[in-house]
Amino acid sequence: NGNEGLLKVIAFASPPILDYDTSLSCSPFVTTIVNNSDIIPRASMANLLIMMEILKKVKRKMKDHGLSLADGTSTMALIKKLSQGKEGEMIMSPEEIGQVVDDAKEAVSLRDPDHLYVGGKVIVMYDTWGKKQNTNEDGETETSMKAEENISHKDKIPQQEKDIEIEKLYSNDAARGVFTSDGTARVLRLIEIDERMLSDHLSPAYRSSIRSILSHTSM
């Protein structure tokens, strides 16, 4: 109708609200920004189904290793396995886990009318995990969200200084790179079970990632 280009939308951390075709068709005028493992753009029925498929495979694998709550012997074996923590031997290799995730995504249809996606062109800000954690005054590690809460309750600090301190907290988790895709990107078809799935959604985390990426691209 000659009105092309009149509407431009930049969306941050938006939830999946569009079906497959609509999410792709609005790419000319909608751009969605996603920060790292932010759970909100991944909070869809399709991703819950994918998670269920993964858990089914994990449950079968645990049963193969005699780890369950079916009886006393398998229950004790499960407790013993859990007590090993990170030092214990994995029941699935990284390659097996990757295959399970891929199979789960393939099992859930992209075009199901009940499965929704974030709209338009999607820019995912990303970085590797396992970075330095925040520490409190006692030298104890704490999440960015917990550290932010502690700063917010400091009465003698002006709000502007609080905002600066809070944004610095998220610099450890800030993204360093970006890639462009759409709402059906495979990285968005999985809910990342990690404490960062909540903190990555917050405004300070987005601002920190954007500032980090701009500083890297300007070098």
Side-chain angles (χ1 to χ4, degrees), residues 2-10 26-31:
N3 295 322
E4 292 84 356
L6 292 181
L7 178 64
K8 290 292 182 182
V9 178
I10 306 295
C26 64
S27 293
F29 59 91
V30 175
T31 300

Side-chain angles (χ1 to χ4, degrees), residues 86-98:
K86 295 180 180 179
E87 305 302 321
E89 183 180 351
M90 296 175 61
I91 63 172
M92 299 174 68
S93 68
E95 292 76 18
E96 287 179 299
I97 295 172

Side-chain angles (χ1 to χ4, degrees), residues 155-167:
D155 298 328
K156 297 182 179 180
I157 299 180
Q159 186 59 48
Q160 186 174 4
E161 291 184 20
K162 286 183 181 180
D163 292 340
I164 293 174
E165 281 196 48
I166 288 171
E167 192 158 330

Side-chain angles (χ1 to χ4, degrees), residues 4 27-29 43-45 49-50 64 88 104-105 111 118 135-136 161 166 182 188 193 207 209 216-217:
E4 292 84 356
S27 293
F29 59 91
S44 66
M45 179 63 70
L49 292 175
I50 289 172
D64 292 342
K105 291 177 180 179
R111 287 184 170 275
V118 296
T135 57
N136 59 25
E161 291 184 20
I166 288 171
D182 55 52
L188 297 180
I193 305 300
R207 290 197 298 268
S209 287
H216 278 72
T217 55

Side-chain angles (χ1 to χ4, degrees), residues 147-217:
E148 177 183 349
E149 182 181 347
N150 292 337
I151 291 174
S152 299
H153 285 86
K154 292 181 178 179
D155 298 328
K156 297 182 179 180
I157 299 180
Q159 186 59 48
Q160 186 174 4
E161 291 184 20
K162 286 183 181 180
D163 292 340
I164 293 174
E165 281 196 48
I166 288 171
E167 192 158 330
K168 285 181 179 178
L169 293 174
Y170 292 91
S171 63
N172 288 336
D173 298 334
R176 298 293 191 276
V178 298
F179 71 87
T180 303
S181 185
D182 55 52
T184 68
R186 293 183 70 82
V187 71
L188 297 180
R189 299 191 68 213
L190 182 68
I191 297 174
E192 302 284 358
I193 305 300
D194 185 88
E195 64 189 28
R196 283 181 58 175
M197 68 184 187
L198 299 177
S199 62
D200 278 343
H201 177 66
L202 303 180
S203 295
Y206 270 79
R207 290 197 298 268
S208 183
S209 287
I210 292 171
R211 183 173 288 108
S212 171
I213 289 168
L214 291 177
S215 67
H216 278 72
T217 55

